[in-house]
Amino acid sequence: MVLKTIEMDLQYQGIIAAPPIAQDQLYKQACSNDAITITSWRDIWLKQIKANLETYGDFKAKGIGQLAGKWAYKPGIAVGSGPSLKKNALLLKDRGDMLAVSCTHNFAFLEDIGVAPDFYLTLDAGPITISELTEGGKEKPEWYWERTKNHKLLAFIGTDPEFLKRWQGEIFFYNAPVPDQSYVEELEKIVTFNEYISTGGNALGSCVYAAKAILGANPIAFLGADFSFSYTSKFHSWDSQYDKMNKGVIWTLDVYGNKVHTWPSYHNFKLFMDYIAVRVPGQYYNCTEGGTLGAYLEGNIVQIRPMDFADFLKGYKLHEEFIGKCLNTDQRMLVY
């Protein structure tokens, strides 16, 4: 049997003024899994922070604070690992001096297509991050780890020590706030390191905060921020271990108004990013070209405007087209 590809003319939903959920409820839902996460990981975080401190010494000497304001007054791009990334990742080559911060899960995919973000970022503390860095790659894992020498990493101080050992490029450390007083007290016994990134429990949230609040970029464009499976049940832009892990999923709507399924945890991550866009001043563009970021039954919120990535880039490159016309006396200047 031959399966036919279905062509769909996708149009973004209309714009609404704000999420149709009260801000306090939005935040409460986004953080609903915090207690379980803290209970499961607190001892691992503390153990690995202590181990990394012994290996790298003073975190502040290589803290993310050294990068403060380095991309001030310039656009930034937060690159997630959703299935829509394959639609527009190549355009990152044409971003000029725009900042790009990517989750490390994209490493093999981006390396294979010749795209180099300014920074990679890792948040998760589990050893799964090691296999994820090379997942979907065309080369052997060792090839990708050797290539890390060409890249810079923003790393949570509780990152798996083995991951940091394998990373060969420059590392800048950050801390992540944990809303648990006993954890805070235990951490203070190990180290005081106040260069924090608010994460929302996910690496892409960390990328956004690092790009905007630390590096100073604005506006922020999202790529690969699906927070959902694709229409063909893919969770990433490559064949991954997560594609068949579709138990316990829920249905929600994407930016085109179509039904997609996701995990409750990832829906919470999406709600956190919606909350940040409403509360934190700045401009946000969803250039994912798919997924659920900013999307509701009533429409897409104005605080995260959906836009194709090519159109976002064009807005910063229009002068090239005009100058080309002006300097070419055989053509009339293009006027919109």
Side-chain angles (χ1 to χ4, degrees), residues 131-164:
S131 61
E132 284 183 344
L133 184 135
T134 63
E135 186 180 64
K138 298 176 182 178
E139 308 292 339
K140 293 182 178 180
E142 295 77 13
W143 187 86
Y144 294 104
W145 286 108
E146 195 276 335
R147 302 282 289 185
T148 62
K149 67 183 180 182
N150 301 319
H151 299 280
K152 298 176 181 178
L153 177 69
L154 308 179
F156 168 48
I157 58 175
T159 298
D160 187 307
E162 181 61 28
F163 181 97
L164 296 178

Side-chain angles (χ1 to χ4, degrees), residues 60 146 172 208 227 302:
K60 192 173 181 60
E146 195 276 335
F172 297 89
V208 173
F227 297 109
V302 69

